[in-house]
Amino acid sequence: WLLHQGCQPWNIMALTYTNKAAREMNERIGRLCAHMDSRGMWSGTFHSLFARLLRQECQYLGIPSNFTIYDTSDSRSLIKNIVKELELDDKVYKPNRLAARISEAKNHLILPDQYAADSSIQSRDHSEGIQQMHRIYSLYQQRLAAAGALDFDDLLLKTFLLLRDHEEVRNRYKQRFRYILVDEYQDTNMAQHRILTLLTDPDSPICVVGDDAQSIYSFRGADIANILHFQDHYPSCRTFKLECNYRSTSHIVEASNSVIGHNRRQIPKHVYAAGTQGDPIEVFKANTDKEEATKVAMHIMKLLRKGVDFNEIALLYRTNAQSRPFEEVFKTSGIPYRIYGGLSFYQRKEVKDVMAYLRLTVNPDDEEAFRRIVNYPARGIGNTTLQKLQLAAAAAGVSLWRTA
């Protein structure tokens, strides 16, 4: 629509959350604009577009344009090595816990120095027995810098710092991206919200889509206040409520409304179903995971007796660990099943090994890539040698590669 109104494609930035959503969005743009020139439009995930921006403007932040992006396992590995080097108890200083704490700080735009100076944060860490958390965060950032690497949260944090501290860059991108569109706005965190406010003015043409009732990612830093108070930041905005649900039966919609109605903070709306009433919702309580699995199996057998086929039944659970009790009961009950999902292709060992070689080719200072392949295939380089290399690298202030 914007292109049809004569807007230039390079003035448009469309942001979404997942790679899958970004691919679908770009495919739709390609089909809709097949007869038009849409080159120059920025359309993708927050992290992919801001990584692109950082590679273009890296000189302002003193980071290399070929910086490596550490995934979750890379970050956990680096934190684990820091804990080991500091000779801390890894049963208390667990990598997952520390990584979550660092991610939380970055999503709230808190740098290591600010983290160490915040008395409330230090009091919390002390009460939880992780008094060295501020030191780990500081070393973690130093090691990322030495490796020429950023983690996922840095892609947002560094973009915010770039736009906040460099007026020339901020104004250049404000002039370029005159039309900003954001999907799933209820899942934005503080960093994403602050970046958007730096790229816009109160009267800027920004369009966000979201549903406050679907805000379920607070544990990842999502802040529902961003969508609830959107009108405070952009007073002239217009709100369009899409209240007709085309996916669900009225029983499901009405049950959802009755639960959502108890939310203390929400945007008022009345959702109704376009479809039929459908079957009533059944809810049952189980005291253990085994009892739950048994009841589910019994319900499946009941459906089969009514003439339902196996391939018409789906069982959804939130974590992979939950599959075990269901599998055990299904096997003893003779219920055939197929599990979908599992390990991502890019998380397989052989793929990560090849990727580590490629990463090291592009960025020789990449510490985690170096650690992963330095003894693969086996070259007789063990942990003792690696520890000596690490000490020498830290003393010289250079990367493992340069020390080796």
Side-chain angles (χ1 to χ4, degrees), residues 293-303 305 329 333 335:
T294 301
K295 287 189 174 184
V296 168
M298 290 170 62
H299 188 74
I300 290 172
M301 301 304 290
K302 180 181 174 182
L303 292 173
R305 287 194 293 270
V329 170
S333 303
I335 298 175

Side-chain angles (χ1 to χ4, degrees), residues 148-188:
L150 303 179
D151 63 18
F152 283 132
D153 296 311
D154 278 329
L155 298 177
L156 302 178
L157 175 60
K158 298 289 187 183
T159 300
F160 167 75
L161 295 174
L162 171 70
L163 297 175
R164 184 196 68 180
D165 299 338
H166 300 278
E167 185 179 4
E168 173 204 340
V169 179
R170 180 172 69 251
N171 289 336
R172 181 156 27 97
Y173 282 100
K174 282 182 73 171
Q175 285 296 314
R176 171 165 183 173
F177 298 123
R178 298 177 186 174
Y179 307 95
I180 296 178
L181 303 97
V182 187
D183 191 22
E184 304 289 2
Y185 194 72
Q186 76 278 353
D187 292 331
T188 53

Side-chain angles (χ1 to χ4, degrees), residues 93-138:
Y93 289 87
K94 297 179 180 178
N96 286 351
R97 181 188 189 188
L98 305 182
R101 193 58 57 86
I102 292 172
S103 178
E104 178 189 31
K106 290 185 177 183
N107 285 332
H108 285 85
L109 306 174
I110 299 173
L111 299 172
D113 290 345
Q114 296 169 305
Y115 190 100
D118 191 309
S119 59
S120 62
I121 292 177
Q122 294 310 305
S123 176
R124 179 188 63 175
D125 288 350
H126 187 83
S127 67
E128 295 180 13
I130 50 173
Q131 298 93 323
Q132 297 299 314
M133 183 64 235
H134 68 283
R135 189 177 174 194
I136 294 169
Y137 181 17
S138 181

Side-chain angles (χ1 to χ4, degrees), residues 54-69:
L54 288 173
R55 291 196 193 279
Q56 292 182 1
E57 310 295 342
C58 56
Q59 68 275 15
Y60 289 94
L61 295 173
I63 57 178
S65 61
N66 64 337
F67 62 79
T68 303
I69 300 174

